[in-house]
């Protein structure tokens, strides 16, 4: 049986396991995270890390960040990453992660959860379109903070 829950202080090793699943899924080269850094992440109420488990094994995860609004006393939740271990894909784990995050957000009084997806990432687009959501046509622009 697959379960999912939000990671909290004390779950540092589980967080590292979840981050490793994400790094592998995205083909990234990680830098080592210090224990202090992971502890700070998990202690932050604005950082959300929800891990999926098959038994004691972390098989996926979703990370998100709370964004306080300035038009009202509210917040929205920005999903940053979602990944499932390649051996566990196509078993509903991604949907379980999204559903768990949405339920936790609702419990926290957050009514909007959103996620960007690259226009050329067909798998991500198909997955998110299957998740009972509204698609918004939007472009995201990025720049280096230190650029001239």
């Amino acid at each position: 049986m697959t379960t999912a829950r939000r990671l909290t202080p004390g779950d540092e090793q589980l967080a590292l396991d979840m981050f490793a699943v994400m790094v592998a899924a995205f083909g990234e080269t990680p830098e080592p995270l210090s224990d202090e850094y992971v502890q700070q992440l998990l202690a932050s109420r604005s950082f959300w890390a929800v891990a999926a488990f098959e038994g004691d094994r972390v098989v996926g995860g979703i990370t998100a960040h709370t964004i306080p609004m300035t038009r009202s006393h509210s917040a929205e939740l920005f999903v940053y990453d979602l990944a499932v271990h390649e051996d566990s894909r196509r078993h509903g784990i991604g949907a379980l992660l999204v559903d768990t995050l949405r339920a936790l957000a609702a419990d926290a009084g957050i009514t909007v959860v959103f996620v960007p997806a690259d226009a050329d990432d067909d798998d991500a687009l198909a997955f998110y379109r299957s998740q009972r959501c509204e698609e918004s046509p939007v472009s995201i622009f990025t720049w280096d903070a230190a650029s001239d």
Side-chain angles (χ1 to χ4, degrees):
M1 177 176 166
T2 306
T3 60
R5 70 172 177 84
R6 186 173 183 179
L7 302 180
T8 59
D11 290 331
E12 288 79 9
Q13 186 56 55
L14 295 173
L16 289 170
D17 294 347
M18 186 182 93
F19 301 157
V21 168
M22 292 178 158
V23 163
F26 299 126
E28 297 173 337
T29 304
E31 67 179 73
L33 301 178
S34 70
D35 292 342
E36 180 180 277
Y37 181 78
V38 176
Q39 289 168 354
Q40 288 174 346
L41 279 177
L42 295 181
S44 171
R45 294 181 55 101
S46 66
F47 176 74
W48 301 65
V50 176
F53 300 88
E54 287 179 351
D56 292 338
R57 180 177 170 239
V58 174
V59 293
I62 189 169
T63 60
H65 302 271
T66 305
I67 301 174
M69 295 293 101
T70 57
R71 65 182 176 271
S72 66
H73 293 271
S74 64
E76 295 182 358
L77 197 57
F78 173 83
V79 174
Y80 190 76
D81 278 330
L82 183 149
V84 175
H85 190 283
E86 71 177 331
D87 294 342
S88 299
R89 292 182 189 150
R90 306 266 185 222
H91 296 137
I93 294 170
L96 172 66
L97 288 164
V98 168
D99 290 346
T100 301
L101 182 68
R102 290 178 64 212
L104 291 168
D107 288 347
I110 297 172
T111 59
V112 175
V113 179
F114 67 99
V115 61
D118 291 333
D120 62 352
D121 190 339
D122 294 333
D123 290 337
L125 293 170
F127 172 75
Y128 290 121
R129 287 175 176 147
S130 75
Q131 296 304 301
R132 305 173 313 278
C133 59
E134 180 179 327
E135 187 171 351
S136 300
V138 66
S139 296
I140 295 176
F141 301 89
T142 61
W143 59 88
D144 291 335
S147 66
D148 297 330

